[in-house]
Amino acid sequence: MAGDETSTEIIRVMVVDDHAIVRRGLLAYIDTVPTLHVLGEATDGQQAVTLMRQWQTLGEPVPDVVLMDLQMPRLGGVEATEAIVKNHPQVRVVVLSSFGEVERVHAALAAGAAGYVLKDADPDEVATAIRAAVAGEVHLDAAVARQLTKRMAAPHVGLTSLTEREREILTLVAQGHSNRSVADRLVISERTARTHVSNVLAKLQLSSRTQAALLAIREGLISSPD
């Protein structure tokens, strides 16, 4: 769904959470918002990825936005987010978690999440985050944003804090490589690549791959695009 579409258009949503009571609450809330439509639900990341693949194979509609928990059995939210964003680039993922630590936020955003909302936030913020994601924006819970702002305001940690491998990871990320592509190039597992990317962002106090690319250009690791 394109970002210039009006707010009156229906936004299809899938809820992914391993706690039934949380799913029920989210589904009930979404049903009360006229512009939102529940397309499906999943009990963990693996089921979510499988459902998305099945819907696409059958030519059925896929969600515009996936509300994704982080800590789940089988396949966690970060891994599921990365898989969904990679295989369904038109789909946006908004993380809805009980945990707001900066490292978790970094990991989610590095995986491609388009928003991060804490579960104790006002219900209306969920709808706001969903609409922002569809519009191509990134919505962060106010408490999460404050933490990121404090981290960014802390004394700058430069490239000297990175290992040679991490500098290599930063360069690849800045060049636009996905975690899978980084893994293939460095002959490491995708999980290891994901961990490296998250560590690099955390060390440099960055919240996104875009910020990493800008830093790499500023520091001369890669050339500025024409």
Side-chain angles (χ1 to χ4, degrees):
M1 186 174 289
D4 59 354
E5 292 175 336
T6 65
S7 60
T8 59
E9 296 190 8
I10 299 300
I11 300 173
R12 300 182 297 270
V13 181
M14 177 164 71
V15 175
V16 185
D17 198 295
D18 59 326
H19 292 97
I21 192 169
V22 174
R23 290 200 313 277
R24 295 280 81 75
L26 286 171
L27 295 171
Y29 168 70
I30 291 170
D31 277 338
T32 69
V33 182
T35 56
L36 303 183
H37 168 68
V38 175
L39 190 64
E41 60 180 294
T43 60
D44 57 49
Q46 185 59 61
Q47 186 180 28
V49 171
T50 300
L51 279 174
M52 295 285 291
R53 186 184 304 118
Q54 290 175 347
W55 287 333
Q56 185 177 55
T57 300
L58 294 173
E60 297 180 0
V62 296
D64 298 301
V65 177
V66 177
L67 286 180
M68 181 76 70
D69 187 22
L70 280 187
Q71 276 197 259
M72 295 179 290
R74 296 208 296 169
L75 190 67
V78 170
E79 294 81 3
T81 295
E82 187 168 30
I84 289 173
V85 170
K86 175 183 177 182
N87 297 321
H88 313 276
Q90 79 280 19
V91 177
R92 302 291 180 259
V93 178
V94 172
V95 170
L96 189 60
S97 175
S98 300
F99 306 97
E101 295 91 341
V102 171
E103 288 73 22
R104 292 180 187 268
V105 179
H106 276 306
L109 295 178
Y116 199 108
V117 180
L118 297 181
K119 288 183 178 179
D120 61 359
D122 187 279
D124 288 343
E125 187 169 357
V126 175
T128 298
I130 289 173
R131 296 191 185 101
V134 170
E137 303 168 358
V138 175
H139 178 88
L140 298 178
D141 185 285
V144 169
R146 282 195 296 271
Q147 288 195 56
L148 290 178
T149 299
K150 288 180 181 178
R151 179 69 68 88
M152 291 294 288
H156 178 65
V157 178
L159 297 182
T160 54
S161 67
L162 303 182
T163 65
E164 283 302 315
R165 172 50 61 93
E166 287 171 342
R167 287 172 67 94
E168 192 173 7
I169 294 283
L170 173 61
T171 300
L172 291 173
V173 167
Q175 290 171 341
H177 292 280
S178 66
N179 289 346
R180 167 47 58 191
S181 179
V182 169
D184 291 341
R185 283 176 171 266
L186 300 182
V187 195
I188 57 179
S189 71
E190 188 171 359
R191 180 182 294 274
T192 299
R194 185 185 308 114
T195 299
H196 278 311
V197 170
S198 180
N199 288 342
V200 168
L201 292 178
K203 278 188 175 184
L204 297 177
Q205 301 172 2
L206 304 176
S207 60
S208 70
R209 288 171 177 264
T210 299
Q211 289 183 349
L214 292 174
L215 175 64
I217 292 172
R218 188 171 69 242
E219 297 292 338
L221 290 182
I222 64 172
S223 299
S224 177
D226 296 331

